[in-house]
Structures are given as C-alpha cells and as structure tokens.
Amino acid sequence: MSEQSLQGDPASPSVGRWRRVVLKISGEALASAASDETIDAATVGRLAKEIATSCSELGTEMAVVVGGGNIWRGTTGAGEGMDRAASDTMGMLGTVINALALQDALERAGQPTRVLSAVQMAQVCEPYIRRRALRHLEKGRVVILAAGMGSPYFTTDTPAALRAAEIEAEVIMKGTHSGVDGVYSADPRVEPDAVRYERIGFMDVISQDLRVMDMTAIAFCRDNQIPILVFDIMQPGNVRAALAGEQIGTLIS
Ligand code: UDP
C-alpha cells in the first residue's frame, strides 16, 4: 500500500479518499435493540440509504461482507454439543439471509447490487468468482459477499480480509455496532479512562490482544498490508465520513 493510494488524489476533493473498499457488517448491525426482529427493516433501510448515497456521491467501489451473528453463530451450537462443521454451515446460511435483506434494501435505495455467495445457491444468487466480483465493482454495483469463505471454522472477519486482498481493496472498514467507536487501550465500557487510538499498528493490536477483529483476519491483513478502519457504523453519517477519509474511528495499519 503506497502512501499515495492511502491519501487519494488531493486534486479531486469530490472523489472519496478510498477508491475500493470492503465493508464488514456484523449481522447484529442489521438488528435493533428497539425491536425483537432478527432483521430490523428500519435499521437495514437506514444503512442501505447511507451506503447507496455515499458510494454514488464519492464514486467508491464497495464490496460488503455480511455476518450472520443475529441469526446463528457456529460456536453457539458447538457449545451445546453440535457438530462444529454443521453448526458453522448454519451460520454461513444465516449470512445469505442477511445478504438478501441488504440487497433488497440497497436496491430500493436505487443502488444496483449483486449477491455473490461462497456456497453455491444457483436459484438465489451468483457464486463467488473473483473476476466476476471485479467486473460488478467496475460497473458501479455494490457486491454483497455471502457465506463467508464457504468453509467452517471461520467467522466472516477472515473472508472480509481474504476478499479484500483478492479484489485489491485499499481498506477493510469494520463497522462496529456495540457503541465502541474504534480501538481503545482497554474496553471503554468497563474502563472509562480507556483512550481511543486514531492510528495503531498491527503488531500493537496483536501484542496487546485488542479484540477488534478475529486474530486470523488481523494477521492476514498485516501480512498483506491491508489497513483496517474500525468505526461505529450505527452513527448516522459515519459510512460517508469513513469513505471520504475523514478522521473517525481507528485506522490499523
Ligand atoms: N461462518 C463460517 N465460515 C465463514 C464465515 C462464517 O463457518 O467463512 C459461520 C460461523 O459459524 C459464524 C457464522 O457463520 O459464527 C456467522 O458469522 P459471524 O460470526 O462472522 O457473524 P457476525 O458476528 O459478523 O455477525
């Protein structure tokens, strides 16, 4: 990652700082504390509008990796004695449900999309094929990546990192939904004196065991020099600010 591409083109202020991004959205960011629904239509609609408007105004190419934690996590079933691979497969299928909800909301907001799944589901969406993903991005479609890696024993953080490398995204944007708006020296919900870092190195995140993303994903991003922006995705306006390269959240690089 050259410093040039990190900073974008200052002569074109209307072009977002980041040209191509992977946005990682946890399943729980599609739910709402205010409703019992697994997927809250108002929450998904708000997020979709913000993504659609920001990508079109800033010219950003975006692939979204959706999680499935609002529906099922492999560790939940495994903790109760289920076969881990079967339980993880249920989790992957949950991400497809979320992907379809996000697709619907994005298209209603006027944003063309394609869902590409790592588990083939020919009647529902396209299979993940790297070159096809690139073509969709070039055509201005938001690519929604479902079913993670297609393999058990991972969470969706790791496919977010892998796909970012494959499609040559400049950054992974990890949207948080817990009210914690970046990487802190300690959990700010437990320790009020914790400080938020504006920038932090991969090695510090690893050595201090700061749990912002799965360590497999962090190590992959370090090895492949893919920066990660951690920011609060539930705060209206933050998706645009993140894409525009404004100083929000924490940049791990
Ligand atoms: N999963 C998997 N392989 C993958 C991605 C996800 O087996 O490559 C399963 C895993 O069980 C995980 C679940 O899908 O718990 C949902 O994904 P994740 O926990 O990442 O969802 P999030 O927390 O982001 O909502």
Side-chain angles (χ1 to χ4, degrees):
M1 180 69 43
S2 73
E3 198 56 24
Q4 176 72 27
S5 63
L6 264 179
Q7 288 172 351
D9 179 3
S12 311
S14 63
V15 175
R17 179 187 181 201
W18 304 106
R19 187 183 53 87
R20 179 178 292 163
V21 307
V22 165
L23 176 66
K24 161 72 210 288
I25 305 179
S26 291
E28 278 161 3
L30 305 181
S32 159
S35 89
D36 292 337
E37 303 296 335
T38 308
I39 297 171
D40 180 63
T43 305
V44 183
R46 199 261 321 147
L47 201 54
K49 273 196 197 116
E50 197 171 332
I51 291 172
T53 319
S54 311
C55 285
S56 114
E57 282 177 14
L58 298 166
T60 314
E61 295 176 2
M62 179 184 286
V64 183
V65 171
V66 271
N70 55 327
I71 297 171
W72 186 258
R73 280 206 177 86
T75 46
T76 311
E80 287 163 13
M82 263 187 89
D83 173 59
R84 173 72 192 263
S87 189
D88 276 337
T89 303
M90 290 167 62
M92 284 189 271
L93 296 180
T95 71
V96 181
I97 294 174
N98 285 337
L100 295 177
L102 187 61
Q103 175 173 49
D104 175 79
L106 280 166
E107 300 232 325
R108 279 192 285 144
Q111 172 63 55
T113 63
R114 291 289 188 276
V115 174
L116 271 53
S117 172
V119 170
Q120 292 211 27
M121 237 176 270
Q123 286 79 1
V124 176
C125 53
E126 294 178 21
Y128 172 76
I129 296 169
R130 176 176 163 268
R131 281 175 177 275
R132 197 176 275 191
L134 289 168
R135 188 80 187 112
H136 289 319
L137 291 170
E138 284 161 11
K139 288 194 162 189
R141 297 168 184 146
V142 167
V143 172
I144 305 170
L145 297 169
M149 311 261 267
S151 303
Y153 294 95
F154 291 100
T155 73
T156 47
D157 282 351
T158 304
L162 173 66
R163 300 306 186 216
E166 288 186 65
I167 64 169
E168 297 180 10
E170 292 169 325
V171 65
I172 297 173
M173 299 190 163
K174 160 96 178 174
T176 67
H177 54 86
S178 56
V180 180
D181 58 351
V183 183
Y184 282 74
S185 53
D187 187 341
R189 293 166 299 186
V190 182
E191 293 188 33
D193 293 340
V195 288
R196 179 163 61 79
Y197 301 111
E198 283 189 359
R199 290 186 81 123
I200 187 169
F202 286 115
M203 287 317 293
D204 292 322
V205 173
I206 294 169
S207 65
Q208 293 176 43
D209 197 21
L210 301 171
R211 291 166 185 268
V212 282
M213 248 179 140
D214 279 6
M215 278 303 167
T216 321
I218 300 270
F220 183 93
C221 288
R222 178 200 58 190
D223 292 349
N224 293 283
Q225 295 177 37
I226 305 166
I228 305 169
L229 179 74
V230 182
F231 74 106
D232 179 4
I233 199 168
M234 303 314 272
Q235 187 68 35
N238 267 3
V239 169
R240 192 184 196 293
L243 295 180
E246 290 173 25
Q247 175 55 62
I248 59 162
T250 301
L251 188 70
I252 309 171
S253 59

